[in-house]
Amino acid sequence: MTARMTARFADLKRQNRAGLVTFITAGDPDDRTSAAVLRALPEAGADVIELGMPFTDPMADGPTIQAAALRALKAGHRLSKTLAMVRDFRAGDDATPIVLMGYYNPIYVYGVDRFLADAKAAGVDGLIVVDLPPEEDRELCIPALEAGLNFIRLATPTTDDARLPAVLQNTSGFVYYVSVNGITGSAIPDYSRVASSVQRIKRHTDLPIAVGFGVKTPEGAAEVAAHADAVVVGTALIDVLARSLDAGHATPTTVDAVRGFVEGLARGVRSAKRPAPAAQEDRP
């Protein structure tokens, strides 16, 4: 893991609580508002931030995140501006891990080596690139690891025990468990299965397990936080942002609306009842 990611999950473990991972799309609805939202997330209780790289064809995302990407692109946002957002954020926050999430095409167009160097220099901690399977690790995953960035994989309910070793082989930072099949925002997870799914993955890795897709409320976040190492919320957060807009443009309520929603999620995560940590053996 990068130093920031290691420190954050170690701190969460000491507190015996799950982390809150929040997703926003960079540049949505415009660069200035997006930067203000980004700064507000840690203040509101986010422990890790996923920052979406806008793309014209986000195949794994539902209508909400697709619309966010289109708003950002229409406002002139590009990958270079995403990196600039991270660099500016780091001037005031050098502790919160930031993971860029998206698709390979914008990175390929930017240039892999140039992108990795610029991302590292800007203060990015990791990448989630949803359309590069383990069989394509030489394209980006291995170079990212060599550049000192985490490469975070997604596991799903259909990722069985035979497939998990390949998924986890070069994964670092944390494992993102997608608790429902389908696109983002498509369904509510079956919380009764989260515990068993997390435990199954933990038999294959010591990495933290973050669970997302379908978490929409503080109560749902608490359900997941009782078993996972982190809870990921994206679509519901973007929905709150979108409802604050006027014809696609930011209003005076936009940043506060997002902040208030994340504060509620953070309270939910922190209220989760978790098993007491295992007692440490006494050592001479």
Side-chain angles (χ1 to χ4, degrees):
M1 293 193 198
T2 63
R4 272 186 290 264
M5 196 76 75
T6 299
R8 182 51 45 96
F9 277 102
D11 189 45
L12 293 171
K13 188 173 183 179
R14 282 192 294 272
Q15 297 178 49
N16 190 35
R17 73 169 178 87
L20 174 61
V21 182
T22 53
F23 172 93
I24 63 168
T25 299
D28 175 35
D30 60 73
D31 288 343
R32 182 178 178 180
T33 304
S34 186
V37 170
L38 181 63
R39 290 191 299 271
L41 293 175
E43 299 169 2
D47 298 294
V48 178
I49 296 170
E50 290 179 4
L51 189 58
M53 298 176 284
F55 181 46
T56 54
D57 189 22
M59 65 192 77
D61 293 306
T64 294
I65 295 179
Q66 288 183 22
L70 292 177
R71 284 193 297 267
L73 292 171
K74 184 178 180 180
H77 195 84
R78 298 294 182 267
L79 185 51
S80 58
K81 292 187 175 183
T82 303
L83 297 176
M85 277 185 63
V86 177
R87 186 168 56 249
D88 291 345
F89 174 85
R90 284 286 173 238
D93 185 326
D94 196 40
T96 305
I98 291 184
V99 176
L100 298 185
M101 185 172 185
Y103 300 83
Y104 184 48
N105 181 273
I107 296 171
Y108 178 79
V109 171
Y110 192 99
V112 169
D113 291 342
R114 176 180 167 227
F115 168 77
L116 293 175
D118 289 354
K120 181 69 174 177
V124 172
D125 295 281
L127 305 174
I128 301 174
V129 181
V130 300
D131 55 349
L132 280 181
E135 289 75 15
E136 304 296 335
D137 273 359
R138 286 287 167 190
E139 286 287 330
L140 182 63
C141 175
I142 300 301
L145 295 174
E146 291 172 347
L149 296 171
N150 294 134
F151 200 88
I152 296 152
R153 290 279 189 210
L154 277 65
T156 74
T158 61
T159 308
D160 60 20
D161 287 341
R163 178 62 173 168
L164 265 175
V167 171
L168 297 172
Q169 183 176 5
N170 292 313
T171 298
S172 66
F174 60 88
V175 179
Y176 186 160
Y177 177 65
V178 177
S179 56
V180 296
N181 291 319
I183 57 176
T184 56
S186 60
I188 301 297
D190 182 350
Y191 297 122
S192 67
R193 297 184 179 181
V194 169
S196 60
S197 298
V198 168
Q199 289 306 312
R200 181 174 70 87
I201 298 170
K202 282 185 174 292
R203 290 196 291 269
H204 294 264
T205 181
D206 293 328
L207 290 170
I209 311 298
V211 176
F213 277 49
V215 180
K216 299 178 182 297
T217 64
E219 294 76 17
E223 291 261 14
V224 174
H227 307 288
D229 298 301
V231 183
V232 186
V233 182
T235 297
L237 194 159
I238 303 299
D239 276 335
V240 169
L241 184 151
R243 287 196 295 269
S244 77
L245 305 180
D246 181 7
H249 298 288
T251 68
T253 68
T254 297
V255 176
D256 285 342
V258 173
R259 181 187 288 110
F261 182 67
V262 174
E263 287 173 347
L265 293 172
R267 287 192 294 271
V269 167
R270 287 160 174 76
S271 73
K273 296 179 180 178
R274 294 168 61 85
Q280 297 294 315
E281 294 182 5
D282 292 333
R283 297 186 183 276

